[in-house]
Amino acid sequence: LTSAGDLVLNASTSTGIFANTALTMTAGGSITLNASVNVKDSATMTSGGTIALNDTFTAGGSATLNADDGINVNGNFIATGNVALDGDANSIVDGNDTITLANGITVESTTGGVTFGSAASALGAITVLAANGIDVNGTFSSLGLTTFNADNESNGVGDFTVGAEGSVNSNNNAMTINARDVDLQGTLSAGALGSITLEFSGAGQIALGDSTLCPNCAMQISGSELQNITAGTFTVNNSDNAIFV
C-alpha cells in the first residue's frame, strides 16, 4: 500500500485488519490504523509523518516501523521476528519524533530482538520482551513499573544495551531488567525513590566493577557502567552462582 499523502485504514474493532502475506505500507504523510492488525508475515511501515497504531498489532515475521514524526503504539505490539521502531527516521528535529507507548502495553519479539531507534516515552507501566536482546538508542522514559526481559526464552543469548546516546529513566518507579549481560554506554536511572533489579538470565558468574577479579564471568558490569546507574535501591540477582565485586 502506497500513498503520497496520509494513509488511513478503518475496520471494525471486532474483526480488524488482516494481511495474509508480508505487509509493506509507505506514505508521504501519516499512517493511521484504527483497528487491530494481524500480519501473517513481516510488516514494514515507512511514513513521512506519524505512524499511529490504535489497537493491538501482531506480525508473524519481523516488524520495522520508520516514521519522520513519531510513532504512537496504543495496544500490545508483538512480532515473531525482530522489532525495530524509529520515530525520527529523517534525523530532523521537527515536531514530535517520539515513540509513544500507551500505559500497560507490551512490546515483544518472540524469537528476535527489540530496538528503539529514537526517543521513547511510556505513559505508564511498560513491558518489553525479546528473545535475543533489547537495544535502546535514544532516551527512554517511563511513568510506571518498567520491565525489560532481553532473554525471554532464558537461553542465555539476550543482552540489554543502552547506546552512547541512549538513556533509560523510570522516574522513581521500579525497573526490572532480565538479561544475559548489560552494555551501559548510556545511563540507567530509577530516580532517588525508585529501584532497579538486575536479573542474570545466564548460567555463570557476575563481575561488578573490576573484571580482572573474574575475567571469565558471563556478566561483566564495569566500574564506568556502574557509575551510569542511579537508583534508590539497586539489586543484582544471581541465585545460582557467585558475584565478584
Side-chain angles (χ1 to χ4, degrees), residues 53 55 57-58 63 65 71-85 99-116 120-122 125-131 133-135 140 147-150 152:
L53 305 177
D55 208 321
F57 180 96
T58 304
L65 275 60
I71 299 172
N72 299 325
V73 182
N74 292 312
N76 290 335
F77 187 106
I78 301 173
T80 301
N82 293 325
V83 172
L85 306 177
I99 303 163
T100 303
L101 307 168
N103 178 30
I105 69 167
T106 296
V107 177
E108 180 178 5
S109 168
T110 59
T111 65
V114 175
T115 299
F116 295 96
S121 175
I126 183 66
T127 299
V128 182
L129 307 175
I134 297 171
D135 293 287
F140 188 109
T147 303
F148 296 103
N149 191 335
N152 199 38

Side-chain angles (χ1 to χ4, degrees), residues 112-157:
V114 175
T115 299
F116 295 96
S118 63
S121 175
L123 301 181
I126 183 66
T127 299
V128 182
L129 307 175
N132 194 21
I134 297 171
D135 293 287
V136 179
N137 294 319
T139 60
F140 188 109
S141 176
S142 60
L143 297 177
L145 176 65
T146 303
T147 303
F148 296 103
N149 191 335
D151 185 14
N152 199 38
E153 293 185 333
S154 299
N155 56 8
V157 297

Side-chain angles (χ1 to χ4, degrees), residues 32-43:
T32 304
L33 305 182
N34 288 318
S36 62
V37 178
N38 192 318
V39 182
K40 186 174 182 180
D41 204 333
S42 296

